Amino acid sequence: MSRAPATLLAATEFLDTEHEDVRAFTEATVGDARSDKEKAKRLFTAVRDQVWYDPYTVSTDPTHYRASFVLQAGRAYCVPKAVLLTAVCRAAGIPARLGFADVRNHLQTESLRTLMGGTDLFVYHGYSSLHIDGKWLKATPAFNVELCARFGVPPVEFDGEHDALMHAFTGDGTQHMEYVRDRGVFDDLPLTAILTELRTTYGSMVQASAHAIDDAFTAGPASPVRADGSSGRSTSPQEDQ
């Protein structure tokens, strides 16, 4: 798909940029930033860290993938987090679209690997494609800083000039993430295709509940993100023993 960047600013079914919560979050996060580069950097960091990454939140309900819902929920997996970043960038006047790739994530908990049928292949890993200073950049806001610390992985940083994708290795040199298939970029979320592939690859995971699972992913904050950009938490979650 090739479209003029200026056409990628509109609201869509999932990128509900006109929702009051999305607008409030965007304005509070952008603050006094004037350049698209600085706005995108601030928005990336806010989405990365203020919405907890939780791979057990896969849902078949389309409303759970709207940017406004992701803000209200305060936790999501990579696809809804990419939706949120794409939406708030559009709300800030930055052309943005959604991108997807299949990746091998070598850092998993036993609970997650079991639920995924023993594989480490994550299909339709979501990221945002942002148009800044005349070029398209990829940025994945999936893993928040606190979760990265638990796994010994440096957080992905976005400087507004280079792609910000998952690291291939952890801090000690252990293999972490491997990109194996590009799924392309989209104006809006291709939810039907994503859910079909998730069901084919993982089966029951799509219908699973994380309530009975206690691991590094679920032991995070549950407080929703406020419209002013804060998480509503006063303390950090305790590290898993």
Side-chain angles (χ1 to χ4, degrees):
M1 181 200 70
S2 177
R3 287 182 54 186
T7 66
L8 296 169
L9 292 170
T12 67
E13 178 183 359
F14 296 101
L15 307 173
D16 52 348
T17 58
E18 299 301 327
H19 192 283
E20 60 181 1
D21 288 348
V22 175
R23 284 289 179 186
F25 178 87
T26 302
E27 292 171 6
T29 301
V30 166
D32 60 358
R34 293 294 175 262
S35 69
D36 285 352
K37 173 182 173 181
E38 186 58 34
K39 291 176 183 178
K41 287 169 59 179
R42 294 184 184 188
L43 291 167
F44 174 86
T45 301
V47 173
R48 182 193 68 188
D49 293 340
Q50 295 178 25
V51 177
W52 187 269
Y53 175 78
D54 187 341
Y56 302 115
T57 57
V58 176
S59 171
T60 60
D61 186 342
T63 64
H64 292 176
Y65 291 84
R66 290 177 183 153
S68 56
F69 180 88
V70 181
L71 275 176
Q72 294 160 3
R75 62 193 306 128
Y77 74 108
C78 62
V79 170
K81 291 192 71 169
V83 167
L84 177 58
L85 178 58
T86 303
V88 295
C89 282
R90 286 193 181 190
I94 301 169
R97 56 195 181 181
L98 289 160
F100 301 92
D102 293 352
V103 301
R104 289 198 181 280
N105 184 353
H106 299 278
L107 291 183
Q108 288 176 294
T109 61
E110 287 300 319
S111 297
L112 181 58
R113 184 182 290 270
T114 298
L115 196 59
M116 292 173 62
T119 183
D120 62 1
L121 179 68
F122 288 69
V123 298
Y124 273 98
H125 165 70
Y127 63 87
S128 295
S129 177
L130 312 176
H131 195 262
I132 301 173
D133 294 338
K135 62 181 179 180
W136 287 103
L137 300 174
K138 299 176 181 179
T140 177
F143 276 19
N144 48 293
V145 166
E146 291 176 69
L147 194 59
C148 286
R150 293 183 180 185
F151 284 104
V153 179
V156 174
E157 303 288 354
F158 182 56
D159 62 5
E161 298 180 4
H162 305 89
D163 290 341
L165 298 175
M166 289 296 190
H167 299 295
F169 299 93
T170 65
D172 64 2
T174 303
Q175 190 172 21
H176 171 213
M177 189 76 75
E178 176 188 359
Y179 285 78
V180 297
R181 180 182 179 184
D182 182 14
R183 294 274 185 174
V185 291
F186 300 81
D187 293 357
D188 198 10
L189 182 68
L191 183 59
T192 299
I194 291 173
L195 292 179
T196 297
E197 190 66 28
L198 290 178
R199 290 190 183 98
T200 300
T201 306
Y202 310 120
S204 62
M205 180 180 182
V206 178
Q207 301 293 344
S209 169
H211 294 312
I213 297 174
D214 181 16
D215 65 8
F217 294 113
T218 60
S223 300
V225 179
R226 298 185 184 127
D228 64 3
S230 63
S231 66
R233 294 185 294 112
S234 59
T235 58
S236 298
Q238 302 236 342
E239 296 289 327
D240 288 350
Q241 300 300 316

